[in-house]
Amino acid sequence: MPDVDRPRAWLLTVDGAPQSYVDLDEPTYLEFEYARRLAHVLDTAAGPGRPLDAVHLGGGALTLPRYVAATRPGSRQDVVEADRGLLELVAEQVPWAGGDGISVHAADARQWLEAAPDDSADVLVADVFGGSRVPAHLTTVAYARTAGRVLRPGGVYAANLADGAPFAFLRSQLATFAAVFGELALIAEPSVLRGRRFGNAVLVASHRPLDIAALARRAASDAFPARVEHGEALRRLIGGAEAVRDEDAVPSPEPPDGAFVIG
């Protein structure tokens, strides 16, 4: 769907759910709040302008790969999207520039990651939804270990998740990644964290200390400010939640009607 307010901007929906927004003239413009929060992680993953080796699980309209190509020229990026028809649609309607270091793969995210080399990525961004739910096989300890293997020792993992109170899914994901990574953070709006509404939360994981202060400054400066939780606050949120095994995995919860609307 074209954006009537921006001449070459487009909204992509999948199964009726808003999925991606791209402005072909301004790839650094990020319409969706969760995309800006993932971009904050990318912005703080290395020094300004330094190229990254990035893996994006979930392609959509390639919003964040275009952002990285614009803000960190020379980056090498792999984009993994299971829906070949979606990739063909995006390539036809909102093509990305050739020679920008973006390689697109039509494959299942976990299967592709399992075949990826060790220590090959600086950042790994997971934004995979089957319609409006995170697939079950991307929620487990085995998957988290695979992500940790592909990341370099100082690499950063970031995932777009969605949940609402009492946060059974979100708490299980924090417990799962805490079983693999030494450092965790969570970025979300206060109203979501307080359980007032269903919404997105960005999980950040690494084996090295995260720049929490820089993430917090960026999140607080958004039009819809977000909060960065880490340390003891996350341990309280996890509570008694257990890490997810493959045999027990379930998709993220179905959003309630009206949780994600096109405005």
Side-chain angles (χ1 to χ4, degrees):
M1 298 171 58
D3 185 338
V4 297
D5 296 321
R6 300 177 74 91
R8 295 218 308 151
W10 298 83
L11 171 69
L12 171 69
T13 65
V14 177
D15 297 333
Q19 208 274 355
S20 296
Y21 181 102
V22 293
D23 187 329
L24 299 181
D25 292 329
E26 193 177 348
T28 59
Y29 176 79
L30 303 175
E31 174 74 11
F32 292 165
E33 296 158 25
Y34 82 82
R36 293 196 295 273
R37 289 163 195 157
L38 288 169
H40 298 330
V41 179
L42 292 165
D43 289 343
T44 58
R50 176 185 153 193
L52 293 172
D53 290 337
V55 173
H56 303 263
L57 303 181
L62 279 68
T63 302
L64 287 172
R66 299 174 203 254
Y67 177 87
V68 171
T71 58
R72 296 181 178 275
S75 293
R76 295 182 299 180
Q77 303 187 79
D78 288 296
V79 181
V80 185
E81 170 58 58
D83 190 337
R84 185 180 297 272
L86 175 60
L87 287 176
E88 292 172 352
L89 174 69
V90 170
E92 177 185 343
Q93 297 294 328
V94 285
W96 55 95
D100 54 9
I102 298 174
S103 300
V104 176
H105 312 272
D108 173 81
R110 181 161 165 180
Q111 289 179 1
W112 188 93
L113 201 64
E114 287 170 345
D118 293 359
D119 302 330
S120 56
D122 298 310
V123 292
L124 199 167
V125 177
D127 186 16
V128 184
F129 283 78
S132 54
R133 305 179 74 183
V134 178
H137 69 305
L138 303 181
T139 67
T140 72
V141 169
Y143 161 73
R145 286 177 180 148
T146 301
R149 175 185 63 76
V150 172
L151 284 169
R152 293 180 176 130
V156 180
Y157 175 91
N160 178 33
L161 307 175
D163 201 4
F167 301 118
F169 175 74
L170 186 58
R171 292 170 60 237
S172 77
Q173 289 307 284
L174 289 167
T176 296
F177 279 82
V180 176
F181 291 90
E183 298 288 333
L184 289 183
L186 189 70
I187 311 173
E189 280 188 44
S191 61
V192 172
L193 292 171
R194 291 173 186 147
R196 294 178 180 171
R197 68 177 184 87
F198 190 99
N200 295 93
V202 170
L203 182 154
V204 189
S206 180
H207 291 302
R208 65 168 173 80
L210 297 162
D211 193 342
I212 298 298
L215 283 173
R217 285 194 302 270
R218 284 169 163 79
S221 67
D222 278 345
F224 294 92
R227 200 165 73 214
V228 178
E229 299 283 12
H230 68 292
E232 183 57 33
L234 280 192
R235 287 188 283 274
R236 289 196 301 269
L237 180 57
I238 293 171
E242 297 183 354
V244 179
R245 302 176 300 174
D246 276 343
E247 56 268 34
D248 300 325
V250 296
S252 64
E254 189 77 42
D257 291 343
F260 302 118
V261 297
I262 303 170

